[in-house]
Amino acid sequence: MKDNKDNRKPRRNSSKKAYKGGESSQVVVNDKYAHIEAVQAQPLEVKVYSNNFDKALRAFRALVQKERVLSTYKENQFYEKPSDRRRRKRNEMKRKRLELENPRASEPKRAFKPRKAKAEDSPE
């Protein structure tokens, strides 16, 4: 009988490494993350007017929250069960549909309402 070692196929290393000392111009290629596509997104920009950095920072935070940048990052940190993913997607679709039907509902509510001026002729 032949040894099983002779019948086995040789292992292929998925990453190509350059020779020591930089003698070769080969680039290190790692196929570990080849299946992941890079995210192409538009940069978020906020302009600062009259050196008012605090207002620009608030606007940037609101923009990040509206674009759901941090929430999508947090969602991808851990494994999500398929049933939970379907539930989340369904709730997102409901939220987006409500925003499209009633655009005023998605606007932030004011913390206070301005008072109406009292009329001088009123009995109070």
Side-chain angles (χ1 to χ4, degrees):
M1 285 186 119
K2 293 183 179 179
D3 287 337
N4 285 340
K5 292 179 182 179
D6 297 334
N7 293 337
R8 277 193 263 165
K9 293 181 181 178
R11 286 188 178 182
R12 291 186 181 182
N13 194 355
S14 62
S15 61
K16 299 176 183 177
K17 297 181 181 178
Y19 295 108
K20 291 182 181 177
E23 299 167 359
S24 173
S25 63
Q26 286 182 339
V27 179
V28 176
V29 178
N30 193 347
D31 294 332
K32 183 177 179 182
Y33 300 108
H35 65 283
I36 299 174
E37 294 182 19
V39 176
Q40 298 297 324
Q42 296 293 326
L44 300 177
E45 293 180 356
V46 175
K47 293 185 179 179
V48 180
Y49 295 105
S50 66
N51 292 332
N52 194 351
F53 179 75
D54 293 334
K55 190 172 184 179
L57 182 62
R58 282 197 304 267
F60 179 74
R61 286 181 178 165
L63 187 62
V64 166
Q65 187 173 7
K66 182 182 176 188
E67 295 290 327
R68 298 180 48 85
V69 174
L70 294 177
S71 59
T72 53
Y73 170 73
K74 288 179 182 178
E75 286 170 4
N76 294 332
Q77 278 186 333
F78 303 104
Y79 176 75
E80 187 176 18
K81 289 176 24 180
S83 60
D84 293 339
R85 180 179 293 133
R86 285 191 298 268
R87 183 182 307 122
R88 180 177 52 82
K89 293 282 186 183
R90 189 169 51 238
N91 291 338
E92 284 179 5
M93 287 191 304
K94 284 181 185 178
R95 180 179 52 83
K96 287 181 182 179
R97 189 173 61 237
L98 287 175
E99 285 179 4
L100 290 175
E101 289 174 0
N102 188 5
R104 297 257 325 173
S106 63
E107 294 178 4
K109 294 182 180 178
R110 294 181 183 166
F112 64 93
K113 292 183 181 178
R115 290 184 175 194
K116 294 180 182 177
K118 290 185 178 181
E120 294 178 16
D121 298 334
S122 65
E124 292 181 39

